[in-house]
Amino acid sequence: MNGKNDSFPIAGLLDAGTLTSVLLALFYTAGAAYAYYFFGHFHLPVPGMDMPRSYFFFYGFKVVKNNLAPVFFCIVSSIALYYFLRSLWQRTAEQNKPTESNQQRHRRAVLLRASTFIGGLTYLLLLFMIFTCLGYRKAQSEFTREQGNDFPSYPRVRVWVNGEQDDSTKAWVEGCYRLLLRTREYLYLFPTDGTNNLLPTDIIPTNRIRAVEILPLYRSPPACRESCIKRVPLS
């Protein structure tokens, strides 16, 4: 095999690696946008949460799953544009060497390569903006659905903690709180009263927790509604 044919597998691997990296970055962006806006409804800043960044890929898959048509269009168009710009860049490579006889062609080649570079970056920025918007839309729609149905995807839990007991720790044992998220450092709980009113989120350090019981219950009984009335946030 000659040198030109030997370069094809390497070029193909580089292309596949470049496209895969861009797609993973887009998935990550969609998941990060979803987490940012969804947990924002609970007044939780994602940068300050002890959340594994691998979760963003899981959230990104949720976003992609609900937006297959626009995601498919973005992927196909980005692949097509990548190979178009790549071929255009290679065609102008030979013309990029100035000589006395091709000064005008050289200027056109430089301008074309600059336009190709700027166009590729602009489209890449547009892709990230689109995936950010998809993550935002998914977070808004999912929170609205969960809130309107008393958060059926989040189980009720009972939590016992060590140390001094107060009204909050007693409320955690009643089973009226729902498990929002558990990380290595913290447990995030929120109470619901069954009437679509979102109440404050409680953050419990895991080193303070003695036991956690996850209940197979997803509806708020009347007793929980009465208990949550006492937890109305201050105005």
Side-chain angles (χ1 to χ4, degrees):
M1 297 179 65
N2 55 37
K4 184 177 180 180
N5 292 332
D6 290 340
S7 66
F8 285 155
I10 298 178
L13 289 176
L14 291 176
D15 292 341
T18 301
L19 293 173
T20 301
S21 299
V22 172
L23 291 178
L24 288 177
L26 291 174
F27 275 50
Y28 185 91
T29 300
Y34 169 88
Y36 179 84
Y37 289 107
F38 184 83
F39 291 107
H41 289 288
F42 297 90
H43 310 289
L44 294 173
V46 172
M49 298 174 65
D50 179 37
M51 181 188 299
R53 295 299 179 255
S54 58
Y55 282 18
F56 292 161
F57 289 105
F58 171 73
Y59 295 142
F61 175 77
K62 292 177 62 175
V63 174
V64 171
K65 184 179 178 182
N66 281 49
N67 298 276
L68 291 178
V71 169
F72 178 77
F73 174 78
C74 289
I75 292 176
V76 172
S77 62
S78 61
I79 293 175
L81 182 63
Y82 171 79
Y83 280 104
F84 172 74
L85 295 179
R86 182 173 179 272
S87 63
L88 199 61
W89 187 277
Q90 291 176 343
R91 289 179 184 177
T92 58
E94 296 181 356
Q95 303 175 7
N96 204 32
K97 299 178 181 180
T99 62
E100 296 181 358
S101 60
N102 69 344
Q103 289 293 333
Q104 186 174 0
R105 293 180 59 187
H106 169 67
R107 285 194 294 269
R108 281 188 306 209
V110 171
L111 181 61
L112 187 58
R113 298 195 86 179
S115 302
T116 300
F117 182 76
I118 296 174
L121 288 181
T122 302
Y123 186 76
L124 188 61
L125 178 61
L126 179 62
L127 282 178
F128 279 99
M129 293 177 61
I130 291 174
F131 274 73
T132 299
C133 291
L134 293 178
Y136 167 78
R137 288 181 51 190
K138 173 61 177 176
Q140 295 297 102
S141 62
E142 183 160 326
F143 179 81
T144 301
R145 177 179 59 81
E146 291 286 344
Q147 186 183 37
N149 293 280
D150 193 23
F151 295 92
S153 300
Y154 297 88
R156 288 162 50 194
V157 295
R158 301 176 66 191
V159 180
W160 292 266
V161 297
N162 299 314
E164 184 179 352
Q165 307 295 314
D166 53 22
D167 292 339
S168 296
T169 59
K170 294 177 182 178
W172 297 337
V173 181
E174 295 176 356
C176 294
Y177 279 74
R178 297 180 183 272
L179 178 61
L180 175 63
L181 182 69
R182 182 171 188 174
T183 65
R184 185 170 55 183
E185 299 291 336
Y186 298 102
L187 194 71
Y188 297 87
L189 307 178
F190 68 98
T192 57
D193 60 1
T195 60
N196 306 337
N197 294 322
L198 185 63
L199 298 176
T201 303
D202 289 8
I203 306 175
I204 311 174
T206 54
N207 56 11
R208 191 186 173 193
I209 297 173
R210 185 169 75 250
V212 177
E213 181 182 14
I214 299 179
L215 305 174
L217 304 172
Y218 295 86
R219 293 295 178 185
S220 300
C224 288
R225 300 179 185 181
E226 296 176 1
S227 175
C228 288
I229 292 177
K230 304 176 183 180
R231 298 297 308 278
V232 175
L234 299 176
S235 58

